[in-house]
Amino acid sequence: MVLRGDVIGDTGRGVLADPARLRSVRRIAGGPVPDEAFDRLAMLVRKLVDAPMCVVCLVDEEKQFLAGRAGPAGTEREMPLTHSFSRHVVVDGELLAVPDVRVDPRMRDNPAIEERGAIAYAGAPITDPDGLVVGALCAVDTEPRVWTPSEVALLSELAEACSSEVCLRIARAAAEEARQAAESAHQQLELFAELTESLAATMDVDEAMRRLGRIVTARLADWCVVAIADDPAGPARVSATHRDPARADDMARLPELTTRSRTDLRAILLAVRGSERTVRADLASRVHDVELAEITERAGFGSSLIVPITSPVRRRVLGAVLLVNQPERAAFTTAEERTAAEVGRRAGLAIENSRLYREQRHVAEVLQHSLLTELPVIPGMELHARYLPAQDGAAVGGDWYDAFVQPDGSVVVAVGDVAGHDIEAAATMGQLRNLVRGDAYGRDEDPGTLLTTLDRTLHGLRVPAAATAVLARIRRSRSGFAVSFANAGHPPPLLLLPDGRVQVWWVPPEPLLGLPPQGPRSTAHRYVPPGSTLLLYTDGLVEDRRQLLDTGVERLSAVLRQYAGRPGDELCSRLLRVAPTRTDDIALLLVRLG
């Protein structure tokens, strides 16, 4: 910084630019607004020293602020540093009294001499709480004048009073800044807490983008655009939100236009993809799509930030959040920029969690289906099955179904439920299903005997299973089918008769599989006419903690009656729709007996 007539040197310029001193000046400089307290002090100096002009002057590195003034010196409250005599008081750190500034080599080129008629100058330093000189209390005469010792002493005493007022104001400003900082930090923590809780509550990326937009526009920006493009060459997901509900239609249209205008979208993504840092950018002039430009103009395109959405796992940019304030709002502060950067990081974590959840769920579903049986094709019978994982958890569980043909032509069907709906339950289910098959295949015993043998096997091999199951054997008879079954603590099978009636095969309850053996299990026998449909299912299809099991069974029976004539696949889908909740796995096996 070089000033006309400036002879203060590098050291002086360093004093003027001292950050701590500037911070004090900016805390008390009121800009162009008159300050009554400082004006009264300037008037008092004018009266006591009988000077035409008196000023309370605060000096920063570029200008001086006339915080208080008295006399015919105009109405402005700010002046360039080139017009400042008081800057020399700040640099020297002591009182300065000059009878005639026109002959002083430091001041003779000051434009205030011609513009204001300033000839004689006396200024006493004003200090902040740390003793740094922030300005001067000065008197100016329009004629040469030798300042008397009493005038200099009076000016010094009044400057000390002025310094006390400055220190008080700085303390108040510091306290207000601390309050605002604490309030800002609290609001920031609230934003982060709300964002984390909201994003953690969904694994759907599109819903996460909408939630992110709602939270950001409520607390940080007037409107925003969230763009996710994991693959730079592939299509991007875009969501837009505005604080003003009246702009909802525009925001709903904006994603479609942004996706269509790949150049405009790429400008947002590329702005942060290389640096992986928050970018302040003027994108308004770079929007080429006409309709898109009209929407952004209606939304209000003022200051903007582009925040990267970064994966904490793969260390790459997944997308970006464009934050925009309307023109009438101030630009984003440094603190808001830091907050926005943290928003981007947390959004990246949520998206990465969603991706990992989808991958885990896909692997789990593949595992689950690999553990389930491919149903055999049997002449005169039609078999349909469904497995539906719980909505929560790992998409696998302990529910299973099975069907296989015995060497004698009879058909064994089973449905069971191992406690839990996680990987451990699925592994136990695989063991149990294989044991059922191994124990039952090639043997002619009734289902009760087979389950009794299974009890001993589970106990002897110490298989950690606790499961319910229904095991049934279907044999052809002269006029229909003979069905024998055993029930180990499982919901009752249902039989849809050709005339539309539904039988519920209740039997006395027996212990779960996997418990210590308590004696032989029983077998129930039923005659089934041709054209009937047998339904085996797990408790997830009927159980509701708010209702009795009988209510769920009756609801299932009603569906069987209502859709009796529908194809087997459609009937299975109808049955799944009446499940009371999706908190448990569901397996069902539908056997149509021709």
Side-chain angles (χ1 to χ4, degrees):
M1 177 173 57
V2 178
L3 302 174
R4 179 179 145 202
D6 186 8
V7 292
I8 61 175
D10 292 339
T11 301
R13 286 191 287 272
V15 172
L16 292 177
D18 178 78
R21 195 192 72 82
L22 291 175
R23 186 164 52 249
S24 292
V25 171
R26 288 161 186 165
R27 278 174 168 168
I28 54 178
V33 181
D35 189 307
E36 293 182 0
F38 285 141
D39 280 349
R40 285 196 299 269
L41 186 59
M43 292 174 62
L44 179 61
V45 173
R46 183 187 181 199
K47 180 178 181 180
L48 294 177
V49 302
D50 192 24
M53 294 179 287
C54 293
V55 180
V56 177
C57 185
L58 303 173
V59 181
D60 73 5
E61 60 182 338
E62 295 180 351
K63 64 181 69 173
Q64 65 178 1
F65 302 92
L66 309 184
R69 61 185 306 159
T75 58
E76 68 270 24
R77 291 282 171 168
E78 295 181 5
M79 298 179 66
L81 203 57
T82 53
H83 292 58
S84 175
F85 298 117
S86 297
R87 60 190 168 95
H88 298 287
V89 177
V90 174
V91 171
D92 294 344
E94 58 186 13
L95 185 142
L96 182 63
V98 182
D100 191 338
V101 296
R102 294 172 298 180
V103 298
D104 189 299
R106 298 173 299 176
M107 303 181 179
R108 61 191 177 194
D109 292 327
N110 193 306
I113 297 174
E114 294 181 4
E115 296 178 13
R116 306 295 179 186
I119 303 298
Y121 172 84
I126 300 172
T127 57
D128 71 359
D130 296 323
L132 299 174
V133 180
V134 295
L137 175 62
C138 55
V140 180
D141 206 326
T142 55
E143 297 179 355
R145 175 174 178 169
V146 177
W147 303 97
T148 66
S150 61
E151 291 172 337
V152 170
L154 179 62
L155 194 62
S156 296
E157 291 177 2
L158 292 175
E160 290 180 2
C162 189
S163 296
S164 297
E165 176 66 18
V166 165
C167 290
L168 179 61
R169 294 190 180 195
I170 290 175
R172 289 174 179 171
E176 177 61 19
E177 289 174 4
R179 185 195 66 78
Q180 292 178 354
E183 184 177 305
S184 175
H186 179 69
Q187 292 173 348
Q188 186 182 67
L189 290 175
E190 284 186 335
L191 185 151
F192 292 156
E194 182 182 2
L195 184 66
T196 300
E197 181 180 359
S198 183
L199 296 184
T202 180
M203 289 297 163
D204 181 81
V205 174
D206 294 325
E207 176 60 24
M209 292 168 65
R210 288 189 289 270
R211 294 184 181 192
L212 172 62
R214 288 194 295 269
I215 292 171
V216 165
T217 53
R219 295 178 178 268
L220 192 58
D222 286 328
W223 59 282
C224 75
V225 178
V226 184
I228 305 297
D230 198 5
D231 179 5
R237 293 176 171 177
V238 182
S239 175
T241 310
H242 200 291
R243 178 177 295 181
D244 183 359
R247 300 266 73 87
D249 290 342
D250 281 345
M251 294 299 104
R253 175 67 173 156
L254 193 146
E256 180 182 344
L257 296 174
T258 307
T259 303
R260 183 184 73 187
S261 180
R262 295 291 300 277
T263 302
D264 296 340
L265 176 60
R266 194 176 293 112
I268 297 176
L269 297 173
L270 292 181
V272 295
R273 191 174 291 280
S275 64
E276 298 187 7
R277 292 181 298 177
T278 300
V279 175
R280 292 178 181 265
D282 178 19
L283 290 179
S285 60
R286 296 163 62 182
V287 176
H288 304 289
D289 186 279
V290 176
E291 187 179 356
L292 185 60
E294 292 174 351
I295 288 178
T296 57
E297 184 178 355
R298 288 196 296 269
F301 216 128
S303 62
S304 61
L305 290 176
I306 306 176
V307 183
I309 297 176
T310 309
S311 165
V313 178
R314 292 177 287 171
R315 303 293 181 184
R316 57 180 293 187
V317 175
L318 304 176
V321 182
L322 170 63
L323 303 175
V324 186
N325 274 338
Q326 294 177 315
E328 59 269 20
R329 283 188 62 180
F332 289 100
T333 65
T334 302
E336 288 173 330
E337 186 175 334
R338 288 195 297 267
T339 299
E342 181 62 23
V343 167
R345 283 191 289 271
R346 297 195 181 208
L349 178 61
I351 292 171
E352 195 65 25
N353 285 341
S354 178
R355 180 186 67 83
L356 294 174
Y357 172 78
R358 292 195 307 273
E359 290 180 358
Q360 180 192 40
R361 193 171 182 89
H362 174 69
V363 171
E365 287 175 351
V366 171
L367 170 64
Q368 182 74 46
H369 287 293
S370 71
L371 293 174
L372 296 173
T373 303
E374 182 177 348
L375 296 177
V377 177
I378 304 172
M381 291 188 192
E382 186 182 324
L383 280 73
H384 302 272
R386 291 285 190 278
Y387 172 78
L388 202 61
Q391 286 182 330
D392 301 324
V396 295
D399 290 19
W400 92 95
Y401 56 83
D402 199 2
F404 55 91
V405 182
Q406 292 279 37
D408 63 2
S410 64
V411 178
V412 173
V413 294
V415 165
D417 182 3
V418 174
H421 42 89
D422 51 23
I423 296 294
E424 289 77 10
T428 302
M429 177 271 286
Q431 286 183 284
L432 188 58
R433 189 205 66 168
N434 290 335
L435 287 174
V436 170
R437 280 198 153 204
D439 277 353
Y441 186 77
R443 296 175 59 180
D444 194 38
E445 288 92 341
D446 287 336
T449 303
L450 295 177
L451 289 187
T452 301
T453 302
L454 181 61
D455 279 330
R456 290 197 297 268
T457 303
L458 293 173
H459 185 68
L461 296 178
R462 299 188 179 183
V463 177
T468 66
V470 169
L471 181 66
R473 184 190 295 269
I474 304 172
R475 299 178 186 272
R476 294 182 183 275
S477 65
R478 291 182 180 179
S479 57
F481 298 87
V483 179
S484 56
F485 70 96
N487 189 325
H490 202 79
L494 301 181
L495 182 70
L496 173 64
L497 295 170
D499 61 6
R501 290 180 296 121
V502 175
Q503 293 180 357
V504 181
W505 288 357
W506 294 105
V507 293
E510 294 192 354
L512 277 62
L513 296 172
L515 300 181
Q518 298 182 2
R521 292 183 179 270
S522 60
T523 300
H525 299 271
R526 298 288 189 275
Y527 166 75
V528 177
S532 299
T533 299
L534 178 64
L535 175 65
L536 307 181
Y537 55 93
T538 56
D539 57 1
L541 194 57
V542 291
E543 280 193 351
D544 186 343
R545 294 178 181 177
R546 299 165 298 180
Q547 298 176 341
L548 296 174
L549 176 63
D550 299 42
T551 304
V553 171
E554 177 53 39
R555 184 169 55 247
L556 210 56
S557 301
V559 175
L560 282 174
R561 286 190 293 267
Q562 183 178 357
Y563 299 101
R566 301 296 175 89
D569 284 337
E570 181 182 345
L571 183 54
C572 288
S573 299
R574 296 283 184 178
L575 291 167
L576 289 176
R577 291 176 191 172
V578 301
T581 64
R582 287 291 310 284
T583 58
D584 197 2
D585 307 350
I586 297 173
L588 66 84
L589 179 62
L590 191 76
V591 184
R592 283 194 155 161
L593 303 170

